[in-house]
Amino acid sequence: MDTWTRRKFLITSGVAGGVALAAGATAWGVDELLATGSGAAESDAATLVLVTLYGGNDGLNTLVPAADSHYQSLRGDLAYDEDEVLPLGDGLGLNPGMKRMKELWDDKQLAVVRGVSYPKPDHSHFRSMAIWQTASPSGPVPSGWLGRWLDHDGGANPLMGVSVGATLPPLMAGERTAGAAVRLGGAKLPDAWQRTCTELAHIDDDAHPLLKRAGASLADLTKVTSAFGGAPDADEDGAGGPSDDDATNDASSAGGQSGLGMQLDVVARAITSGVPTRAYSVSLGGFDTHAAEKTTQSRLLGQLDHELGAFLDRVRKTKAGQKVVVAVYSEFGRRPKANANQGTDHGTAGPVFVLGAPVKGGFYGDQPSLTDLTDDDLRATTDFRDVYATLLRDVLDTDPAKILDGHDTTLAFL
């Protein structure tokens, strides 16, 4: 098992500028992000929210083939019974913790892309995640796939691609443009200063232009502070808030951020404030479940389900929010057979979830067979670049071949 931190992952990803990214050199403040908004979420442009599950989520206990006797045999006590899962059809069901996802499925706003991986799977967290984030299965390249989109079609504007967290993941690093890493929390404007700035922001229309500009700046400051400023309440996320320090990212968290709800809160506020960002990156860690998997994974999937459901409820009330597409992936799935510690080891293919109002719900790709394995691992049925190509073409309005080294095969979920 790899022992890794986010810093190590960034440095070893092969993306140019990784050391600078690891040091948080591109960090922006939340107030800087919000200040770019128009004040109204009326954009006709679609927005991508990419959710990375760090650690290798167990796809077979997420999209569960509970009706398959081979699954029950391979998983033993780790298996879910058929009456425990949330049925989707084709003998498959969602993990019991994913009730909001089931509602989206029933509303035909959840696409489940099955058996997703890349050629010649690698069981290393580092290498596998680097492949996913650069979209280059053949070898290291100096940029991430969304970074290349920023280079080609993002107008060299780092705020077109935003990662919520202290550091920028390689997927947002281009060769000429890097996305913005937006830190959570920040210094809170004292109440006395908030009141003073509010009063000083009221400037008469016939005032000197410089004085009017100063008043407008103070008005902006009070606006962003009331919306985003200050550290969130300790109980907002039920876990005392996120930590972006590498020291806290041991193997159990496996590189992802904590506080997914707080990350999505920033994204929701930006969207509803008319910020023109087209692609956001958020993450959740802890999926490296080599032991006692069932309780841990179900808790994490329940958190993911709850936070994504609340996020969509919030943004879908706006015109821009109705064009939001969320994609959820992990670097690999787990092996079909449970290990001796009531967990699973690093595997290969897993499902990718795509959700939101623009999504054409249903299954895409074939479910990997449990009887036709390669080296005791699942065989992939869908190339991960097909998912990216679809998101690039139908969400980010880009020719996917320019970003994915000629790969332009798409799926029909949008």
Side-chain angles (χ1 to χ4, degrees):
M1 178 178 66
D2 299 321
T3 298
W4 65 319
T5 66
R6 184 184 306 120
R7 185 181 302 276
K8 184 178 178 183
F9 165 57
L10 287 166
I11 293 172
T12 58
S13 65
V15 171
V19 175
L21 296 176
T26 60
W28 289 59
V30 173
D31 54 348
E32 294 174 283
L33 173 65
L34 181 61
T36 66
S38 65
E42 298 298 328
S43 173
D44 290 325
T47 302
L48 171 65
V49 180
L50 191 65
V51 183
T52 301
L53 306 181
Y54 282 96
N57 177 44
D58 180 7
L60 282 179
N61 270 10
T62 304
L63 179 66
V64 188
D68 189 330
S69 61
H70 299 289
Y71 162 77
Q72 299 292 341
S73 176
L74 287 165
R75 285 301 173 95
D77 292 340
L78 270 187
Y80 287 97
D81 292 332
E82 195 169 355
D83 60 358
E84 290 183 284
V85 300
L86 308 172
L88 304 185
D90 289 1
L92 299 168
L94 288 174
N95 184 284
M98 304 176 72
K99 294 182 174 56
R100 295 300 307 272
M101 292 278 203
K102 177 61 165 59
E103 293 175 5
L104 290 169
W105 175 269
D106 293 339
D107 291 339
K108 303 188 185 308
Q109 294 185 13
L110 172 65
V112 181
V113 188
R114 300 180 292 193
V116 186
S117 187
Y118 54 86
K120 300 179 181 177
D122 191 307
H123 291 126
S124 162
H125 290 295
F126 300 119
R127 181 67 190 131
S128 188
M129 189 57 84
I131 289 170
W132 274 89
Q133 296 212 3
T134 61
S136 176
S138 59
V141 294
S143 59
W145 70 281
L146 285 175
R148 293 196 292 278
W149 167 73
L150 288 169
D151 283 343
H152 283 281
D153 296 299
N157 181 354
L159 286 176
M160 289 296 99
V162 166
S163 173
V164 183
T167 56
L168 197 72
L171 68 93
M172 285 281 187
E175 295 190 64
R176 297 184 300 277
T177 309
V182 174
R183 293 179 182 274
L184 290 169
K188 179 179 175 62
L189 193 66
D191 291 343
W193 275 104
Q194 179 83 14
R195 289 193 296 272
T196 300
C197 291
T198 301
E199 291 299 323
L200 292 175
H202 296 298
I203 304 297
D204 294 337
D205 290 341
D206 57 354
H208 189 279
L210 292 177
L211 186 59
K212 292 172 69 174
R213 187 181 301 175
S217 296
L218 289 169
D220 286 345
L221 176 61
T222 57
K223 175 184 173 184
V224 299
T225 300
S226 61
F228 282 151
D233 293 337
D235 61 354
E236 183 174 338
D237 201 56
S243 172
D244 293 322
D245 295 334
D246 285 336
T248 64
N249 286 318
D250 57 14
S252 63
S253 64
Q257 305 279 317
S258 59
L260 177 64
M262 297 170 68
Q263 297 171 61
L264 290 171
D265 177 69
V266 171
V267 177
R269 290 185 181 190
I271 291 172
T272 55
S273 296
V275 170
T277 298
R278 297 291 305 280
Y280 292 92
S281 170
V282 298
S283 65
L284 179 64
F287 288 90
D288 199 12
T289 50
H290 289 272
E293 174 183 303
K294 204 167 185 178
T295 300
T296 299
Q297 191 206 21
S298 184
R299 173 180 56 78
L300 289 169
L301 291 177
Q303 179 186 355
L304 173 73
D305 182 82
H306 172 77
E307 303 298 2
L308 286 180
F311 169 75
L312 288 177
D313 286 346
R314 186 171 173 184
V315 300
R316 66 171 33 133
K317 297 174 183 175
T318 66
K319 181 179 178 182
Q322 291 168 10
K323 298 180 182 300
V324 169
V325 173
V326 180
V328 184
Y329 78 100
S330 191
E331 68 263 44
F332 44 60
R334 318 293 292 192
R335 287 184 178 269
K337 185 176 178 58
N339 63 28
N341 297 315
Q342 295 300 307
T344 51
D345 298 325
H346 299 180
T348 53
V352 170
F353 296 95
V354 186
L355 47 149
V359 174
K360 299 174 184 174
F363 287 127
Y364 297 87
D366 296 326
Q367 179 67 10
S369 169
L370 291 176
T371 57
D372 185 16
L373 304 175
T374 298
D375 297 330
D376 295 327
D377 266 335
L378 298 175
R379 290 188 177 190
T381 60
T382 306
D383 190 314
F384 75 124
R385 292 169 295 183
D386 296 355
V387 178
Y388 287 171
T390 310
L391 297 174
L392 286 164
R393 185 193 66 182
D394 295 332
V395 181
L396 299 179
D397 305 317
T398 296
D399 177 3
K402 293 191 305 182
I403 311 300
L404 303 176
D405 193 27
H407 190 99
D408 60 0
T409 303
T410 58
L411 301 171
F413 57 73
L414 288 171

